[in-house]
């Protein structure tokens, strides 16, 4: 069994290059769906080229929107469930795997919380690649509970 560890993460918004560099030696949970051919934006070949060349994905308007809305959505979500949460500020590792969840609960059972926003109106449940992401986070962090909050944006 691989050793689990964690270390402070650079801010993924204000220090994106440093954050990306910290995660570069690892296979991260955000790409877990690549292993199953279920990632809608990244193929296995794309992932290999990205790792081999040390490149990073350009931020899209949707990604920036999500970063801007995430704190407000997380606050609302926690209030709706009566949970106390905190922004996750560490990179969690287990061997070559890494997880950088959005939020963690700080009361009751420990939970990983992923905040997702989308303008797609035909979603009735989380896109499968988000489920793969949370499942890998749970494994890496040895946590039993994970939640995806999906907010539809106009």
């Amino acid at each position: 069994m691989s050793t689990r560890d964690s270390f402070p993460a650079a801010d993924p918004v204000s220090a994106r290059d440093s954050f990306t560099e910290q995660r570069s030696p690892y296979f991260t949970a955000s790409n877990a769906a690549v292993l199953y051919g279920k990632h809608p934006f990244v193929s296995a070949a794309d992932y290999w080229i990205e790792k081999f060349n040390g490149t990073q994905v350009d931020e899209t308007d949707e990604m920036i929107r999500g970063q801007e809305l995430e704190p407000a959505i997380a606050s609302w979500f926690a209030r709706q469930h009566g949970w106390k949460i905190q922004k996750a500020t560490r990179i969690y590792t287990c061997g070559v795997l890494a997880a950088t969840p959005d939020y963690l609960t700080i009361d009751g059972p420990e939970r990983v919380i992923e905040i997702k926003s989308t303008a797609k109106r035909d979603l009735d449940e989380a896109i499968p690649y988000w489920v793969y992401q949370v499942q890998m986070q749970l494994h890496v962090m040895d946590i039993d509970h994970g939640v995806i909050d999906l907010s539809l944006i106009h």
Side-chain angles (χ1 to χ4, degrees):
M1 180 168 189
S2 297
T3 303
R4 288 182 168 84
D5 197 7
S6 70
F7 55 91
D11 184 79
V13 177
S14 65
R16 185 169 186 252
D17 290 343
S18 296
F19 180 72
T20 301
E21 185 175 323
Q22 285 181 307
R23 293 169 24 127
S24 68
Y26 302 97
F27 184 85
T28 60
S30 57
N31 286 307
V34 169
L35 293 174
Y36 305 97
K38 300 291 186 183
H39 200 297
F41 309 116
V42 181
S43 70
D46 293 335
Y47 181 79
W48 183 85
I49 291 168
E50 181 181 317
K51 285 293 189 181
F52 183 77
N53 290 332
T55 58
Q56 64 179 327
V57 175
D58 292 331
E59 284 186 307
T60 65
D61 287 341
E62 291 80 10
M63 291 166 70
I64 294 168
R65 179 194 64 217
Q67 293 165 357
E68 295 290 329
L69 294 175
E70 182 180 289
I73 294 170
S75 176
W76 173 84
F77 180 77
R79 191 170 47 253
Q80 293 296 311
H81 292 279
W83 296 341
K84 292 180 182 170
I85 64 170
Q86 68 181 13
K87 179 76 177 149
T89 59
R90 301 187 71 77
I91 295 175
Y92 299 87
T93 63
C94 180
V96 299
L97 306 177
T100 53
D102 292 335
Y103 288 83
L104 300 169
T105 54
I106 55 174
D107 63 338
E110 191 171 26
R111 295 178 185 93
V112 165
I113 301 172
E114 275 299 310
I115 304 298
K116 304 297 183 184
S117 62
T118 183
K120 294 181 180 180
R121 300 317 236 179
D122 58 349
L123 297 178
D124 290 330
E125 58 186 75
I127 294 176
Y129 81 101
W130 293 334
V131 175
Y132 287 108
Q133 178 183 8
V134 170
Q135 288 296 313
M136 186 166 149
Q137 290 172 340
L138 296 176
H139 169 74
V140 168
M141 298 172 69
D142 196 24
I143 293 178
D144 293 331
H145 305 281
V147 179
I148 301 170
D149 174 57
L150 176 59
S151 295
L152 299 175
I153 308 301
H154 294 292

